[in-house]
Amino acid sequence: MIVDLSHRAHGRARVSDRIGLVNRDSGRHALDFVDLRAVHTVHELANVGAEGFDIAALAFGIEMFGDMLLNSLEWPEKPLEGLADIVSGITKGRKTTETGLIEVPYMAVSNVKSGYIDWTTIKTILATKQEIEQYRLMPDDILMTEGGDPDKVGRGAIIKNPLKDSIHQNHIFRVRLDKSELLPAYFAEYLQHQKAKRYFLGCAKQTTGIASINMRQLRALPVLIPPLPLQNQFAAFVAEVDKSKLFAELFAQSTCILAENRSK
């Protein structure tokens, strides 16, 4: 499953297991179907950065959901508190009289980037059994930061496969969506759009270049709700794009290793 991003994928770009839908002329003509079993374009992946695949997902999302800022397709809108369970996390350095504390991994602000989780450094913290039960992360939870640079306030990402008994610190909000109305892949994409970004920037408290939001403001976030089948279609596309990103990264690493071996 490969997407040809030689023209930056600003037009439509879709993929399936064996057929690539390729935009070779910036949308002037119908997109080209390519049977990936017959066409050997794998070498092109070495030059495709992760941002290229993100552009493909963004373009597909715009085509599917319309202009979210203007709500051009007139989707219904609800505050986030009616669509999710939202909690803050554990406070580092808090005092507890309980014994038998358990060391568990916890997600810090540095782990939550805009659109992805950074697993480079995972810290641990001592917590009680009750705290672990209260803050334990589940697959497909959305983690969101309460503060940061003004243009990044409210950034968030899906944690798809949390570590065993991992929890999150108090400067992170855990958003557990009601999947009967709102899917994680769609909501994570929604957070990247201007409608969400402008909302957070408009209500954030700003001091010395740092902006922050509180629980009340996050719960009041207005969320557009497309039909669930449409959200499912988008989630399936994002899953395929993620596979391509992984394949491209592995291929790029292999290409570098081969190049190094040949130069010796």
Side-chain angles (χ1 to χ4, degrees):
M1 186 277 296
I2 302 170
V3 177
D4 182 346
L5 294 174
S6 58
H7 294 286
R8 298 176 180 245
H10 289 302
R12 302 165 187 166
R14 305 181 196 177
V15 292
S16 63
D17 288 337
R18 297 184 179 181
I19 300 296
L21 191 51
V22 180
N23 179 18
R24 296 189 182 279
D25 55 11
S26 301
R28 288 190 298 273
H29 301 289
L31 303 182
D32 304 308
F33 287 94
V34 179
D35 189 327
L36 300 177
R37 294 167 296 180
V39 180
H40 300 282
T41 58
V42 177
H43 66 280
E44 296 178 13
L45 286 175
N47 299 318
V48 177
E51 67 277 4
F53 291 101
D54 292 335
I55 289 171
L58 178 61
F60 190 53
I62 292 173
E63 176 189 348
M64 182 173 288
F65 304 122
D67 186 331
M68 291 188 181
L69 183 61
L70 300 177
N71 193 11
S72 58
L73 297 181
E74 299 183 345
W75 304 123
E77 182 178 292
K78 287 185 181 181
L80 183 60
E81 65 180 344
L83 301 163
D85 176 54
I86 309 168
V87 299
S88 186
I90 193 170
T91 302
K92 188 176 180 180
R94 78 218 175 283
K95 294 182 179 180
T96 178
T97 57
E98 292 194 32
T99 58
L101 299 179
I102 304 168
E103 186 175 13
V104 294
Y106 84 106
M107 305 303 291
V109 171
S110 59
N111 298 118
V112 182
K113 306 301 183 183
S114 182
Y116 69 97
I117 299 296
D118 185 347
W119 296 97
T120 305
T121 302
I122 304 298
K123 300 178 181 180
T124 61
I125 192 170
L126 294 174
T128 66
K129 289 184 178 179
Q130 188 275 330
E131 288 172 328
I132 295 171
E133 288 297 322
Q134 180 179 357
Y135 300 120
R136 181 186 284 115
L137 297 172
M138 303 293 288
D140 287 339
D141 281 345
I142 305 286
L143 300 183
M144 298 180 63
T145 60
E146 70 171 12
D149 295 336
D151 63 330
K152 295 182 178 65
V153 64
R155 72 177 187 262
I158 305 172
I159 182 163
K160 297 179 181 178
N161 296 295
L163 300 175
K164 185 179 185 303
D165 290 335
S166 61
I167 58 180
H168 61 294
Q169 72 171 121
N170 61 312
H171 295 297
I172 292 175
F173 300 111
R174 187 269 289 154
V175 180
R176 187 165 294 160
L177 299 169
D178 177 357
K179 294 181 184 179
S180 68
E181 289 197 76
L182 202 62
L183 297 185
Y186 165 72
F187 183 65
E189 181 68 21
Y190 182 78
L191 293 176
Q192 308 298 317
H193 282 261
Q194 286 300 309
K195 186 172 179 66
K197 289 179 177 293
R198 290 191 185 188
Y199 168 80
F200 289 131
L201 193 58
C203 66
K205 178 181 178 181
Q206 298 193 41
T207 56
T208 61
I210 300 297
S212 62
I213 55 173
N214 56 37
M215 179 71 77
R216 178 182 58 81
Q217 292 164 335
L218 177 57
R219 286 175 172 163
L221 170 68
V223 181
L224 300 183
I225 311 172
L228 204 58
L230 209 58
Q231 294 185 48
N232 272 308
Q233 187 179 350
F234 179 74
F237 178 79
V238 170
E240 292 301 316
V241 169
D242 287 345
K243 290 179 185 178
S244 286
K245 288 168 69 174
L246 177 60
F247 187 82
E249 290 168 2
L250 293 174
F251 185 81
Q253 292 172 11
S254 299
T255 301
C256 290
I257 293 172
L258 287 173
E260 290 175 1
N261 290 337
R262 288 173 180 171
S263 64
K264 291 179 181 179

